[in-house]
């Protein structure tokens, strides 16, 4: 047992100032979530509840989940402020919750946002939810009420991989792998919106409300001249009695959700947990103190050892190679009883830290221990000394180990995570099981000031070549828009909006979130790691 002892004075001006600053950020996070949870405009919500007498999407989720079940939402803030005009959440809600004691991926069209149609970000979010479900072998419950493609954005929805068609690809992949898929058609579901349920194992449809057709009445009339009503073309009676497209008729939303609960009850044995889970022990120091440990001045690195002391069970961190490569802290810890291998930055990555990290990842893979990358890294060391020391081959070793590792991997961006450092700490392209950030998380190729300086230097060289010069003010004027652009881009909410992060979480939610994620991963089969070539 190696308990991290704090050396922080929580009464100091600096701590209090940082804590107050971070508390404002947390308020902002909750306001953003609140906006996302509202769904579509008031008019559309009223039409949904009063005119159609339907239950709002988030209430549908509450009804289908077991009482008291958590709902781990993915992509809650996806789509916010995108130029394509989608609202926060991107007209779909995705997340994991318990239905009859079984963890399920729940995917819900929000018909109050442009008829539940699919924007480019909606497609991406649906695909991401499926990818998570495949990785964790989670049954998918899809509540369908969608007008299909959001037509003005067809180029971002239709032609390519990762767009709408990939939803079908994933459905068929899941089906082949024996991952159950259940759909409930709760409203008008047109075109792609009809194929999604059609590719599921079992379909419930709500009488008088759910309609499912490849083309709606207006389209049919325009295409063939045939005049036909919604019920005859795609209603519950027709599909359950004549076409056989759907399997169960529900009298209303609530009844339908109950039928889905019954279907989930009949999915067979619950998956068992493959890891020993110890009794959970709270950290020795309050988790809220993390707010005061993140400096409001982004140039000051985070006190990551102190942060770790407030995240892991009993503040116990069994460190590996504590005296070697100390800019990457590696060690074993527990979160709510689940063992994890932690890799947390403590400055720039050097050759030693990279080699140590690769060794540690290797150990975790041998022992089937999941990896948590706590990313807060300015990058890899540059300069002649580092290059002669072989930083390129040592960085490559680390990246090879991280990428090859098939144990569950999680990334938590706590501070500025830049360049190859962002990638090496299991950035999005390396497919961590979940990619999370605190509101203080920032990611980019470089920091905004470095980008502005680099571009200014390039410009300056060109000016010199042309025999010209510029003043300090002109240089600053040139730099300002680049700096601003990268400040906006590196922001955690920009990453969340583009779904490069699965979620932005409050530091105090971190332990519960990881406990849930680890429980899910432990209920899916172990995958063996086959390491690639390590350049020596
Ligand atoms: N593409 C783009 N926008 C669409 C859309 C689509 N496929 N379907 C609906 N919308 C928009 C509407 O223009 C409206 O926008 P507004 O709020 O700016 O006025 C909004 O979504 C809500 O549509 P509305 O018809 O008022 O809502 P509704 O709840 O009564 O009906 C649908 C929703 C989906 C049943 C209905 O709009 C519809 O049938 N849409 C066409 C579906 C279709 O044929 N899709 C084929 C896609 S391949």
């Amino acid at each position: 047992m190696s308990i991290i002892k704090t050396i922080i004075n929580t009464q100091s001006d600096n701590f209090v100032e940082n804590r107050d600053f971070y508390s404002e950020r947390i308020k902002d996070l909750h306001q953003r979530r609140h906006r996302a949870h509202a769904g579509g405009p008031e008019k559309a919500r009223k039409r949904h509840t009063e005119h159609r007498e339907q239950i709002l999407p988030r209430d549908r989720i509450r009804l289908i989940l077991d009482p008291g079940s958590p709902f781990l939402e993915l992509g809650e803030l996806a789509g916010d402020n995108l130029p394509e005009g989608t609202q926060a959440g991107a007209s779909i809600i995705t997340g994991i919750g318990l239905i009859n004691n079984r963890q399920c991926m729940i995917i819900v069209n929000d018909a109050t946002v442009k008829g539940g149609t699919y924007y480019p970000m909606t497609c991406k979010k649906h695909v991401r939810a499926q990818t998570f479900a495949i990785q964790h072998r989670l049954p998918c419950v899809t509540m369908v009420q969608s007008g299909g493609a959001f037509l003005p954005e067809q180029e971002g929805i239709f032609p390519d991989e990762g767009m709408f068609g990939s939803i079908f690809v994933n459905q068929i992949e899941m089906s082949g792998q024996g991952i159950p898929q259940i759909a409930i058609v709760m409203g008008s579901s047109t075109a792609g919106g009809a194929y999604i349920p059609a590719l599921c194992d079992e379909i419930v449809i709500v009488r008088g409300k759910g309609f499912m057709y490849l083309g709606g009445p207006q389209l049919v009339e325009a295409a063939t001249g045939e005049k036909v009503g919604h019920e005859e073309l795609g209603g519950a009676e027709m599909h359950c009695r004549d076409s056989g497209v759907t399997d169960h008729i529900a009298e209303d939303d609530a009844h339908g959700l109950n039928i889905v609960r019954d279907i989930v009850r009949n999915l067979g044995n619950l998956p068992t947990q493959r890891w020993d889970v110890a009794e959970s022990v709270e950290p020795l120091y309050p988790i809220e103190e993390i707010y005061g440990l993140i400096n409001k001045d982004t140039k000051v690195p985070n006190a990551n050892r102190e942060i770790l002391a407030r995240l892991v069970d009993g503040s116990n961190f069994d460190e590996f190679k504590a005296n070697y490569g100390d800019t990457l802290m590696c060690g074993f810890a527990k979160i709510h009883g689940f063992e994890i291998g932690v890799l947390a930055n403590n400055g720039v990555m050097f050759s030693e830290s990279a080699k140590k990290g690769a060794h540690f990842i290797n150990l975790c893979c041998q022992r089937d221990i999941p990896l948590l990358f706590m990313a807060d890294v300015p990058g890899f060391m540059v300069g002649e000394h580092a290059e002669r020391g072989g930083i390129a081959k040592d960085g490559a070793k680390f990246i090879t180990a991280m990428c090859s590792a098939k144990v569950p991997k999680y990334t938590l961006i706590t501070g500025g995570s830049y360049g190859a450092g962002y990638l090496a700490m299991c950035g999005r392209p390396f497919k961590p099981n979940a990619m999370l950030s605190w509101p203080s998380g920032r990611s980019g190729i470089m920091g905004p000031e470095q980008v502005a300086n680099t571009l200014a230097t390039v410009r300056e060289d060109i000016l010199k070549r042309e025999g010209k010069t510029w003043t300090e003010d002109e240089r600053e004027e040139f730099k300002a828009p680049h700096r601003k652009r990268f400040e906006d881009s590196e922001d955690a909410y920009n990453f969340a909006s583009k779904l490069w992060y699965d979620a932005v979480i409050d530091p105090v939610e971190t332990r519960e979130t990881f406990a849930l994620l680890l429980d899910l991963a432990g209920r899916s089969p172990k995958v063996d790691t086959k390491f690639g070539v390590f350049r020596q």
Side-chain angles (χ1 to χ4, degrees), residues 307-321:
I307 287 175
L308 214 44
R310 284 150 182 89
L311 278 183
V312 299
D313 286 10
S315 306
N316 187 35
F317 182 58
D318 290 328
E319 197 163 353
F320 173 71
K321 274 182 179 287

Side-chain angles (χ1 to χ4, degrees), residues 51-122:
H51 176 72
R52 288 205 210 99
E53 296 180 333
Q54 289 189 304
I55 300 175
L56 286 168
R58 285 186 184 270
D59 295 327
R60 288 173 172 169
I61 295 172
R62 264 188 285 280
L63 275 178
I64 204 164
L65 292 180
D66 294 347
S69 162
F71 183 60
L72 177 62
E73 195 160 342
L74 301 181
E76 190 178 27
L77 302 176
D80 200 7
N81 285 327
L82 287 189
E84 68 200 35
T86 160
Q87 276 165 279
S91 82
I92 198 164
I93 306 167
T94 59
I96 304 107
L98 282 172
I99 301 177
N100 277 321
N101 212 23
R102 184 183 292 266
Q103 298 282 10
C104 295
M105 173 59 74
I106 298 166
I107 300 172
V108 185
N109 297 129
D110 187 345
T112 70
V113 183
K114 296 279 182 194
T117 51
Y118 279 68
Y119 288 83
M121 189 48 68
T122 321

Side-chain angles (χ1 to χ4, degrees), residues 47 52 114-115 117 147 149-152 188 190-191:
R47 192 165 150 69
R52 288 205 210 99
K114 296 279 182 194
T117 51
F150 182 76
L151 292 167
S188 182
T190 321

Side-chain angles (χ1 to χ4, degrees), residues 239-514:
H239 275 320
C240 282
R241 289 189 199 283
D242 298 336
S243 73
V245 167
T246 59
D247 310 303
H248 310 269
I249 300 187
E251 297 309 323
D252 56 26
D253 278 11
H255 180 217
L257 296 171
N258 257 323
I259 299 175
V260 175
R261 284 182 57 81
D262 288 341
I263 296 173
V264 173
R265 186 182 290 118
N266 295 325
L267 291 182
N269 288 346
L270 288 172
T272 50
Q273 179 53 252
R274 74 178 198 255
W275 296 315
D276 293 338
V277 186
E279 202 167 310
S280 169
V281 183
E282 283 303 300
L284 296 184
Y285 316 104
I287 195 165
E288 293 81 3
E289 286 181 1
I290 290 174
Y291 295 170
L293 294 172
I294 298 173
N295 209 295
K296 66 182 205 182
D297 178 356
T298 53
K299 287 192 230 48
V300 181
N302 291 342
N304 283 331
R305 190 175 293 274
E306 293 280 348
I307 287 175
L308 214 44
R310 284 150 182 89
L311 278 183
V312 299
D313 286 10
S315 306
N316 187 35
F317 182 58
D318 290 328
E319 197 163 353
F320 173 71
K321 274 182 179 287
N323 300 315
Y324 183 84
D326 61 358
T327 59
L328 184 70
M329 297 186 287
C330 299
F332 301 99
K334 291 195 170 72
I335 290 190
H336 279 305
F338 287 93
E339 179 147 30
I340 44 166
V342 179
L343 297 98
N345 300 114
N346 193 22
V348 179
M349 291 281 280
F350 287 91
S351 272
E352 291 77 12
S353 16
K355 283 188 280 190
K356 168 170 135 182
H359 186 170
F360 183 70
I361 291 169
N362 198 334
L363 293 182
C364 289
C365 291
Q366 288 267 352
R367 300 174 194 178
D368 188 27
I369 295 174
L371 295 167
L372 169 60
F373 294 85
M374 283 177 59
D376 174 23
V377 57
F380 282 84
M381 193 60 199
V382 293
E384 187 187 336
H385 183 72
E387 300 290 356
R388 273 190 197 283
I391 186 89
K393 69 178 182 182
D394 295 329
K397 272 185 207 109
F398 182 77
I399 293 172
T400 300
M402 174 275 300
C403 183
S404 311
K406 290 290 177 286
V407 290
K409 296 182 274 196
Y410 303 93
T411 311
L412 176 66
I413 311 272
T414 60
S417 186
Y418 294 109
Y422 161 80
L423 295 174
M425 290 300 282
C426 206
R428 190 59 138 183
F430 295 94
K431 302 183 181 12
N433 290 46
M435 176 100 194
L436 308 173
S437 175
W438 288 345
S440 44
R442 303 177 310 282
S443 304
I445 292 183
M446 294 183 200
E449 192 56 40
Q450 289 86 334
V451 170
N453 277 330
T454 306
L455 290 173
T457 308
V458 171
R459 182 88 206 116
E460 212 159 58
D461 288 347
I462 293 169
L463 287 173
K464 262 190 214 151
R465 210 163 56 218
E466 293 170 353
K468 297 179 193 149
T469 53
W470 60 0
T471 65
E472 257 321 297
D473 284 351
E474 283 168 332
R475 186 185 158 94
E476 186 45 42
E477 204 179 310
F478 174 88
K479 277 169 62 179
H482 292 299
R483 188 191 296 115
K484 170 81 174 77
R485 189 150 162 236
F486 275 76
E487 274 166 5
D488 293 345
S489 165
E490 69 171 14
D491 186 59
Y493 296 111
N494 180 45
F495 271 59
S497 161
K498 309 255 171 69
L499 208 46
W500 299 331
Y501 295 157
D502 290 312
V504 178
I505 58 169
D506 181 341
V508 304
E509 296 165 342
T510 308
R511 281 173 56 77
E512 275 61 40
T513 306
F514 278 108

